[in-house]
Amino acid sequence: MVSQQRHAAFQLSVVCLVLIVFAFLVPMIGASRAQGAFGLLALLAIGPFISRKLEGGVLGDERDRAIHLRSIQISGVIFGIIATVALWTTYSIHRHAGVISVELLPWAAWWGWIVFMLSQSVTMLVLYRLG
Amino acid sequence: MFWVDPVAQPTLRNRIRELRSERGVMTQQALAEMVGVTRQTIISIESGKYAPSLLLAFKIAGALRVPIEEVFEYQ
């Protein structure tokens, strides 16, 4: 497993942990306060230490860069589709006169981040698997 | 055109595995270290799943001490 693959696996584990903790907290303290689970995303900061260069090894090469770029592109498309569907759904419910609660803003930010990280790490691991 | 026939796609065939064995026990790891890539990249190139850049192709040919056209064949 190359360093970028380890990093993607770690990223996927952190996102899954966040989703599990969030799902666990919602019935107990409510969805709004359960957003605290997203703070666990800070664990992603230790990702670079996991993907550091091993003794005598190569940190990454052109294939790793190509896979990274493609995973960013694919996750960007997934994020764009979901964001568009979410915006159109919101518009179709509220129409021109509608007012969106400001509480939706952190929700949009958290879930947007989760969708992007999840799709990027899964795409990267699949691309490595495909060769 | 949105659909591309995968059968009609040009491929880059290579003789890396064959040339490695001709040069004694040059492992994938040894070749990877010589050209500065990971062993997984050498595996992908050997199996034809990844087409290397021109620069990497020249490096591989240099490490195997043969002209590039002896290693890679465009089909």
Side-chain angles (χ1 to χ4, degrees), chain B residues 28-71:
Chain B
Q28 290 173 330
Q29 183 65 44
L31 179 60
E33 283 172 15
M34 285 172 84
V35 299
V37 297
T38 60
R39 190 173 73 89
Q40 282 78 2
T41 298
I42 297 295
I43 294 169
S44 286
I45 295 170
E46 278 190 0
S47 59
K49 288 178 180 172
Y50 176 69
S53 67
L54 194 57
L55 185 67
L56 180 56
F58 271 108
K59 280 184 182 175
I60 291 170
L64 295 168
R65 293 182 204 141
V66 287
I68 192 167
E69 60 270 21
E70 276 192 39
V71 188

Side-chain angles (χ1 to χ4, degrees), chain A residues 23 45 78 95 125:
Chain A
I78 292 170
R95 293 289 166 183
L125 291 171

Side-chain angles (χ1 to χ4, degrees), chain A residues 63-84:
Chain A
R63 176 170 161 267
D64 296 315
R65 284 191 291 277
I67 287 176
H68 181 72
L69 184 64
R70 189 171 290 184
S71 73
I72 293 279
Q73 288 169 337
I74 293 172
S75 51
V77 168
I78 292 170
F79 177 82
I81 290 169
I82 292 176
T84 306

Side-chain angles (χ1 to χ4, degrees), chain A residues 59-118:
Chain A
L59 185 59
D61 54 32
E62 60 177 47
R63 176 170 161 267
D64 296 315
R65 284 191 291 277
I67 287 176
H68 181 72
L69 184 64
R70 189 171 290 184
S71 73
I72 293 279
Q73 288 169 337
I74 293 172
S75 51
V77 168
I78 292 170
F79 177 82
I81 290 169
I82 292 176
T84 306
V85 169
L87 290 171
W88 272 106
T89 306
T90 308
Y91 174 75
S92 64
I93 293 168
H94 294 285
R95 293 289 166 183
H96 297 293
V99 177
I100 298 170
S101 167
V102 76
E103 283 183 11
L104 281 175
L105 290 175
W107 278 103
W110 287 127
W111 286 105
W113 194 10
I114 287 283
V115 164
F116 188 81
M117 299 298 252
L118 188 66

